[in-house]
Amino acid sequence: MEIGYPCNMDRIDAAILKSLAADARAPVSAVAAQVGLSQSACTRRIQALEASGHVQGYGARLGHRRLGFRITALVDITLGTQVEEDLARFEAAVAQIDGVVECALVSGGQDYRLKILARDLDDYERLHREHLGRLPGVVTINSSFVLRAVPTRSEAEALFGGGR
Amino acid sequence: MEIGYPCNMDRIDAAILKSLAADARAPVSAVAAQVGLSQSACTRRIQALEASGHVQGYGARLGHRRLGFRITALVDITLGTQVEEDLARFEAAVAQIDGVVECALVSGGQDYRLKILARDLDDYERLHREHLGRLPGVVTINSSFVLRAVPTRSEAEALFGGGR
DNA sequence: TTTCCTTGGGAACGCCGATGCGCATGGGAA
DNA sequence: TTCCCATGCGCATCGGCGTTCCCAAGGAAA
């Protein structure tokens, strides 16, 4: 085990994770070539990474715009209570709303931050009126709209460093 | 072409996207069985979805916690300028920072919202001091930390509806 | 009706992925 | 040092998967 990598990981595992994060449907042989391993060794390491929870699954990156969803809203919601039961009730209600793709309880006041996808402003207005406005315990709702998504480092690069 | 779905898509395409979003490494045969198609027809539709940009790629879902990243920060940054060149300079600098996995210019004041991953609070403090604090044109930085990620509908469910 | 176009199903071939085996390397104990 | 065991890689194999043909069925337009 080398230092600088968490949990029994070395630079080869990191490279495998980067590769899979970049293209999860790439053949194992391609990943193996990229990281300098044989197919079999690479397969075994991938299986180990899946079993250990370092890889929790694989997903498709969908083109929201192309699918007709042009609005991404970042919504701050403040609750008038900090009782755990009220939070749970709020969270259960949030989980039912189509369009909410992320929701997090954050520090600094008892509030939540959501990310919401909608087709257009009308669609978002409907969502706001029919669902957000009816969430239990809400005091304030503050919506911001994404004007431009800035390209950043990928998740894997963030986790393992861009270089190295 | 049926109505209610964008851009030459029907319910089978939606089901394929849902399936791929849930498990991108699932064999095509499994996807085909799930949506009621033969392998060949399913392969063709997947290729078409990729070519049309509805699917932009495939990625791995990484276990941040397991990888040693226990801090997720949501950071609001306000700039003292709205000149496009300054924004571009800011964005270029942001793109260089390891740990920043999302960045968006949002409406309501000239500010950005970032999502940042860090190993722990010390690591975040270092990031804040060495990188965030040195970003050009910044007036205010406001950090919130994710206390709890609330499980929500998946992206595909948000886009195509939970039921149906 | 005829023709064209779209789309699905079937089969073949090539490739991919999982597993077992042998071997090399490295650390620990006598 | 020498032996031993554990770890991890590479090779070979085989079952299965994916891609790509070809053909058939259904709908639209002339």
Side-chain angles (χ1 to χ4, degrees):
Chain A
M1 173 180 175
E2 312 177 21
I3 58 175
Y5 293 96
C7 307
N8 297 322
M9 284 195 44
D10 58 17
R11 78 196 63 181
I12 296 181
D13 286 317
I16 290 175
L17 290 181
K18 271 194 198 181
S19 177
L20 287 177
D23 182 9
R25 286 206 79 118
V28 175
S29 54
V31 178
Q34 200 170 337
V35 305
L37 239 58
S38 67
Q39 280 189 28
S40 56
C42 193
T43 296
R44 278 188 290 259
R45 288 181 94 120
I46 291 175
Q47 290 171 339
L49 289 169
E50 291 171 352
S52 63
H54 292 105
V55 173
Q56 301 191 328
Y58 304 95
R61 283 189 288 270
L62 304 179
H64 304 146
R65 272 275 164 68
R66 195 60 69 105
L67 287 164
F69 284 74
R70 317 231 300 241
I71 298 286
T72 301
L74 300 176
V75 184
D76 297 358
I77 296 183
T78 307
L79 262 58
T81 169
Q82 17 193 349
V83 182
E84 181 59 30
E85 285 76 20
D86 294 329
L87 301 186
R89 188 156 33 243
F90 173 83
E91 294 177 10
V94 162
Q96 298 302 317
I97 306 176
D98 279 342
V100 177
V101 292
E102 286 182 30
C103 177
L105 173 66
V106 301
S107 65
Q110 205 57 256
D111 51 16
Y112 286 88
R113 292 215 177 187
L114 321 195
K115 181 191 284 187
I116 296 182
L117 300 180
R119 297 179 183 277
D120 49 40
L121 269 182
D122 287 345
D123 189 32
Y124 181 75
E125 194 274 335
R126 179 191 57 79
L127 242 154
H128 193 289
R129 177 167 34 85
E130 294 183 3
H131 297 103
L132 299 186
R134 296 182 181 174
L135 287 169
V138 170
V139 171
T140 65
I141 301 180
N142 211 304
S143 299
S144 293
F145 298 100
V146 173
L147 303 177
R148 175 171 52 196
V150 179
T152 63
R153 312 235 137 179
S154 73
E155 196 179 25
E157 286 172 342
L159 295 173
F160 303 115
R164 271 194 286 185
Chain B
M1 173 180 175
E2 312 177 23
I3 59 175
Y5 292 96
C7 307
N8 297 323
M9 284 195 43
D10 58 16
R11 79 196 63 182
I12 296 180
D13 286 317
I16 290 175
L17 290 181
K18 270 194 197 180
S19 177
L20 287 177
D23 182 8
R25 286 208 79 126
V28 175
S29 53
V31 178
Q34 201 170 337
V35 305
L37 238 58
S38 68
Q39 277 191 31
S40 56
C42 193
T43 296
R44 272 193 302 260
R45 290 182 92 120
I46 291 175
Q47 290 171 340
L49 289 169
E50 291 170 353
S52 62
H54 292 105
V55 173
Q56 301 191 328
Y58 304 94
R61 284 189 287 270
L62 304 179
H64 304 147
R65 272 276 165 68
R66 195 59 69 104
L67 287 165
F69 285 74
R70 316 228 302 239
I71 298 286
T72 301
L74 300 176
V75 183
D76 296 358
I77 296 183
T78 307
L79 262 57
T81 168
Q82 16 193 351
V83 181
E84 180 59 29
E85 285 75 21
D86 294 329
L87 301 186
R89 188 156 34 244
F90 173 83
E91 294 176 10
V94 162
Q96 298 303 317
I97 306 176
D98 279 342
V100 177
V101 292
E102 285 182 32
C103 176
L105 173 66
V106 302
S107 65
Q110 206 57 258
D111 52 17
Y112 286 88
R113 292 213 175 189
L114 321 195
K115 181 191 284 187
I116 296 182
L117 301 179
R119 298 179 182 277
D120 49 41
L121 269 182
D122 287 345
D123 188 33
Y124 181 75
E125 192 275 334
R126 179 193 56 78
L127 242 155
H128 193 289
R129 176 167 35 84
E130 294 183 4
H131 296 104
L132 299 185
R134 296 182 182 175
L135 287 170
V138 170
V139 171
T140 64
I141 301 180
N142 211 304
S143 299
S144 293
F145 297 100
V146 173
L147 303 177
R148 175 171 51 196
V150 179
T152 63
R153 311 234 138 179
S154 73
E155 196 179 25
E157 286 173 341
L159 295 174
F160 303 115
R164 269 191 288 183

